């Protein structure tokens, strides 16, 4: 299934995208896509409900805004430098174990919402990433059992302010958690629809020019490794997000570097996870 949430920001309703891009309203199911939903086998229960009531669901106008395909999670855990070529372009060593940082949940926006360059920013950058949605509480999980704790996957643009992230003292989170810095969607794809998350094409364009075009087969640490690894240090709750890192081709790595500016348009996608598109606006514009 492809889970969506649609409507005005802060008032989204749960829905599904079905064949040929048609979207339906499943509000009558009575639950939103939150921790309780994912933690109580909500995907299976929704499918069973849909088998009985699907024909009565209303069609969603294709022009209606999409929000994030899940309610704000307890946390967004990110893996840095998880592609060797990206580590090289960033001028950093390939890590011996996953580099972790948090991204603020207040950075979340819908897949096609505007990205706002923060106040005082000079180096706002793009990063296409595969994100994992946790489906079952995970603590000290073995790699062999990692997929049992995954609900599905979602497209993520891990927007980053490089001066805040690298040039200011402290942790990376200052350059990662600004408002609008986490567009996710258009939908969350349940894990049964993705045969191998460790072999998916992912790409990103800026103003129509291809900047990133790679595959998750270039992961340093694959999906099951990062789920297991993170669970050794913290409990992952249903609905939590793990963003798995970006491939080469970010603005920081160009010579000279190129960063986002007012009027730019980013378009990105991952095989099987759809496409999103964000316009860039300056703070206060």
């Amino acid at each position: 299934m492809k889970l969506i949430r649609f409507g005005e920001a802060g008032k989204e309703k749960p829905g599904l995208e079905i064949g040929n891009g048609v979207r339906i309203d499943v509000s009558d199911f009575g639950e939103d896509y939150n921790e309780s939903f994912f933690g109580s086998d909500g995907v299976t229960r929704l499918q069973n409900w849909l088998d009985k009531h699907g024909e009565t669901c209303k069609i969603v106008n294709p022009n209606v805004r999409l929000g994030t395909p899940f309610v704000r999670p307890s946390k967004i855990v990110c893996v840095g430098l998880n592609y060797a070529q990206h580590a090289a372009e960033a001028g950093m060593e390939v890590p011996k174990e996953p580099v972790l940082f948090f991204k603020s949940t207040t950075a979340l926006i819908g897949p096609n919402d505007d990205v706002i360059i923060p106040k005082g920013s000079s180096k706002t950058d793009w990063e296409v990433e595969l994100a994992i949605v946790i489906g079952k509480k995970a603590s000290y999980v073995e790699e062999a059992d990692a997929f049992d704790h995954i609900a599905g996957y979602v497209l993520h643009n891990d927007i980053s302010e490089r001066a805040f992230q690298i040039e200011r003292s402290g942790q990376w989170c200052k350059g990662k958690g600004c408002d609008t810095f986490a567009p996710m969607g258009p939908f969350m794809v349940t894990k049964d629809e993705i045969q191998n998350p460790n072999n998916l094409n992912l790409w990103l364009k800026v103003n129509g020019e291809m900047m990133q075009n790679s595959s998750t087969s270039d992961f340093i640490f694959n999906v099951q490794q990062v789920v297991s690894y993170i669970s050794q240090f913290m409990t992952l709750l249903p609905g939590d997000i793990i963003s798995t890192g970006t491939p080469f081709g970010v603005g920081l790595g160009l010579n000279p570097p190129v960063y986002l500016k007012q009027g730019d348009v980013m378009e990105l996608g991952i095989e099987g996870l759809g496409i999103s598109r964000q316009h860039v606006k300056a703070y206060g514009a």
Side-chain angles (χ1 to χ4, degrees):
M1 288 194 293
K2 295 179 174 65
L3 279 59
I4 64 167
R5 294 173 70 248
F6 63 94
E8 181 183 344
K11 299 180 180 179
E12 294 92 345
K13 297 179 180 179
L16 293 171
E17 182 164 315
I18 56 179
N20 300 319
V22 174
R23 298 167 181 164
I24 60 172
D25 184 341
V26 298
S27 298
D28 289 343
F29 176 64
E31 298 179 42
D32 207 343
Y33 303 143
N34 54 23
E35 180 181 338
S36 176
F37 171 84
F38 289 113
S40 59
D41 200 17
V43 170
T44 299
R45 292 187 295 103
L46 176 58
Q47 182 62 67
N48 292 338
W49 179 89
L50 195 68
D51 291 341
K52 297 178 181 178
H53 305 283
E55 294 184 358
T56 65
C57 293
K58 297 178 181 178
I59 301 296
V60 177
N61 187 311
N63 296 318
V64 171
R65 170 189 174 271
L66 291 177
T68 57
F70 37 73
V71 176
R72 183 184 295 178
S74 79
K75 52 188 169 293
I76 303 171
V77 188
C78 300
V79 182
L81 305 174
N82 199 24
Y83 292 76
Q85 292 184 68
H86 174 54
E89 71 176 352
M92 300 180 183
E93 292 184 6
V94 173
K96 294 180 175 59
E97 57 184 280
V99 174
L100 303 182
F101 61 90
F102 286 101
K103 197 172 181 81
S104 64
T105 59
T106 51
L108 283 166
I109 57 172
N112 303 309
D113 290 345
D114 293 336
V115 166
I116 308 301
I117 297 174
K119 185 177 181 179
S121 166
S122 60
K123 298 180 179 180
T124 296
D125 204 348
W126 57 84
E127 293 191 4
V128 60
E129 302 199 6
L130 171 69
I132 301 163
V133 183
I134 296 298
K136 185 171 69 173
K137 184 177 178 181
S139 179
Y140 299 110
V141 172
E142 298 293 333
E143 286 183 25
D145 300 323
F147 286 117
D148 294 339
H149 295 266
I150 294 175
Y153 306 94
V154 66
L155 171 64
H156 176 210
N157 192 354
D158 177 20
I159 308 295
S160 308
E161 212 296 335
R162 302 303 187 188
F164 296 177
Q165 175 191 359
I166 299 170
E167 299 171 20
R168 307 281 289 269
S169 60
Q171 299 181 351
W172 286 5
C173 58
K174 288 189 288 188
K176 294 287 190 172
C178 304
D179 291 351
T180 76
F181 269 26
M184 292 200 191
F187 37 70
M188 188 208 90
V189 178
T190 53
K191 64 180 177 182
D192 59 293
E193 294 199 14
I194 302 299
Q195 183 175 2
N196 182 5
N198 297 311
N199 188 22
L200 299 175
N201 174 247
L202 69 170
W203 56 270
L204 182 145
K205 297 178 181 179
V206 178
N207 301 326
E209 180 180 357
M210 187 70 77
M211 307 304 294
Q212 295 182 276
N213 189 6
S214 188
S215 170
T216 59
S217 62
D218 289 334
F219 277 149
I220 298 170
F221 305 103
N222 65 24
V223 165
Q224 55 269 43
Q225 288 173 320
V226 298
V227 170
S228 174
Y229 181 85
I230 294 170
S231 78
Q232 309 305 309
F233 301 96
M234 67 194 77
T235 295
L236 295 165
L237 297 177
D240 280 355
I241 305 300
I242 299 174
S243 201
T244 59
T246 199
F248 70 96
V250 298
L252 171 69
L254 300 177
N255 187 17
V258 175
Y259 297 110
L260 295 167
K261 61 185 183 303
Q262 166 85 17
D264 284 346
V265 178
M266 294 174 285
E267 187 176 26
L268 57 151
I270 299 179
E271 180 183 351
L273 300 184
I275 295 171
S276 68
R277 182 181 175 92
Q278 299 99 39
H279 288 78
V280 178
K281 293 186 176 181
Y283 179 84

